Amino acid sequence: MDLRFTDEERAFRQEVRDWIDANLPADTRERMAAGRTPTKQMQVDWQKKLNAKGWCVPHWAAEWGGQKDWSAIKRFILLEELQGTPAPIPLGFNCNMLGPVLIAFGTDEQKKFFLPKLANLDLWFCQGFSEPGAGSDLASLKTRAVREGDHYIVNGQKTWTTLAQYADWIFLLVRTNPEAAKQQEGISFLLVDMKTPGITVRPIITIDGAHEVNEVFFDDVKVPVANLVGTEHRGWDCAKFLLSNERTGQARVGASKDRIRRLKLIAQNAPGGERPMIEDARFRERLVEVEVQLKALEMTTMRVLADENRQLSERKPNPASSVLKIRGTEIQQAISDLYVMAAGPYGMVGADPDGDRWNEPELAPEWATLAQPTYFNWRKQTIYGGSTEIQKNIMAKAFLGL
């Protein structure tokens, strides 16, 4: 595979940059450049712009808003430029997780109703997979769905549910056959309206003071059987397919490139003893090491994306996505460590996720106040979406036959 960009691809990159510069609101750009996440309204407004442009879900089938003639490289360039600006990327729950699952496993009615709303973010979905005691060992989940006529009655609990406080709907793994010989054979995949009576969302405040994740409780929640995706008791097929797409997106090459670019500028002025941090040999050595790893990840990501069409047509997960998940999250953690090194004692000045500082904020720039909270928050990256150990097991089985 020739990984050099053609003149056409370089021209497309410039087109993307120009369009983002002309359309990304200044407050959104400033918020994300400071290292903070976009507000809900910023995310919604920006995704609608992307969707109107035809750039929200280029990897979907053309009949549902995808770009049939785009290569994997063009999709990569678009994502890299969005992450590198930085600008909000399309909501992963909608566009990279649920959308491809519905295209591969959903009924015609489900596709017609949900897919346009997913792309335009008219409906915000969250992911109901993890439970207390069922995270990396997801197949041991206990949330039950008992069929009664044309409804399922759902009872149980999900945890670490990202952005459930914003969500209109949730896609949910439930146990519909507790007597199945294998745990994976008794699981179903449901779509649930978060306004349904019996659903309770409780916030979990993380170590950096942010409200990003939640607990979600289901008490006799009635879900129409029409909201079943795929075949009853075969929801594990949908889950594996979805997780493969999620892990591919976790590489975040463009975002890591942007953080390194900003870090180099910061390190030219940040104190490192009596000299700027960029003059510290150990810091430079570590920075170069991470950059080399990121370039290798970029090349591997393009190879995996090039195989995406086959994956979608065969409705099979791509085990190579585990490689991207491992290396992408490890590199992001390494970059957060470098930011802490660059911040030095100034990283002890606190800042909350909304940008309100405390403890004499005039002593430190905003990037420094966010360095340590980001470092601690990103410890989760090698755990969520399937821990590093789980990814290595997947690769050992798929590639080595172990």
Side-chain angles (χ1 to χ4, degrees), residues 127-135 138 140-145 154-161 170 172-175 198-204 214-221:
Q127 179 183 21
F129 279 21
S130 294
E131 300 180 3
L138 183 58
S140 65
L141 63 89
K142 294 180 172 59
T143 296
R144 285 287 310 276
V154 178
N155 284 279
Q157 177 188 354
K158 299 293 178 178
T159 193
W160 310 119
T161 311
I170 184 171
L172 196 65
L173 288 184
V174 294
R175 188 161 302 284
I199 297 178
T200 303
V201 178
R202 296 179 184 171
I204 298 174
N214 304 267
E215 297 176 289
V216 184
F217 298 87
F218 301 86
D219 296 298
D220 292 330
V221 176

Side-chain angles (χ1 to χ4, degrees), residues 19-79:
W19 186 85
I20 292 175
D21 286 344
N23 289 276
L24 182 63
D27 57 345
T28 303
R29 183 189 295 269
E30 292 169 6
R31 182 180 179 89
M32 297 200 65
R36 292 178 282 147
T37 56
T39 66
K40 179 180 181 180
Q41 195 59 52
M42 288 176 178
Q43 177 72 47
V44 172
D45 292 344
W46 180 244
Q47 184 159 328
K48 288 182 182 297
K49 286 186 178 182
L50 279 174
N51 192 46
K53 179 66 174 175
W55 287 358
C56 184
V57 286
H59 56 301
W60 287 12
E63 63 181 306
W64 302 115
Q67 295 287 350
K68 181 179 64 174
D69 297 328
W70 277 27
S71 66
I73 302 301
K74 288 189 72 171
R75 297 197 300 271
F76 177 83
I77 288 171
L78 174 62
L79 180 60

Side-chain angles (χ1 to χ4, degrees), residues 47 94 112-124:
Q47 184 159 328
N94 284 25
K112 290 175 183 177
F113 180 80
F114 285 107
L115 288 175
K117 296 177 175 62
L118 293 178
N120 206 48
L121 203 45
D122 296 327
L123 293 178
W124 184 305

Side-chain angles (χ1 to χ4, degrees), residues 235-270:
W236 193 249
D237 295 338
C238 300
K240 289 192 298 181
F241 184 82
L242 181 148
L243 288 170
S244 174
N245 289 312
E246 177 187 9
R247 290 161 186 161
T248 299
Q250 287 169 353
R252 293 186 61 78
V253 172
S256 292
K257 279 186 173 183
D258 178 65
R259 287 183 63 81
I260 286 177
R261 178 181 63 80
R262 294 177 187 277
L263 179 61
K264 287 179 177 179
L265 295 174
I266 286 168
Q268 292 175 9
N269 300 304

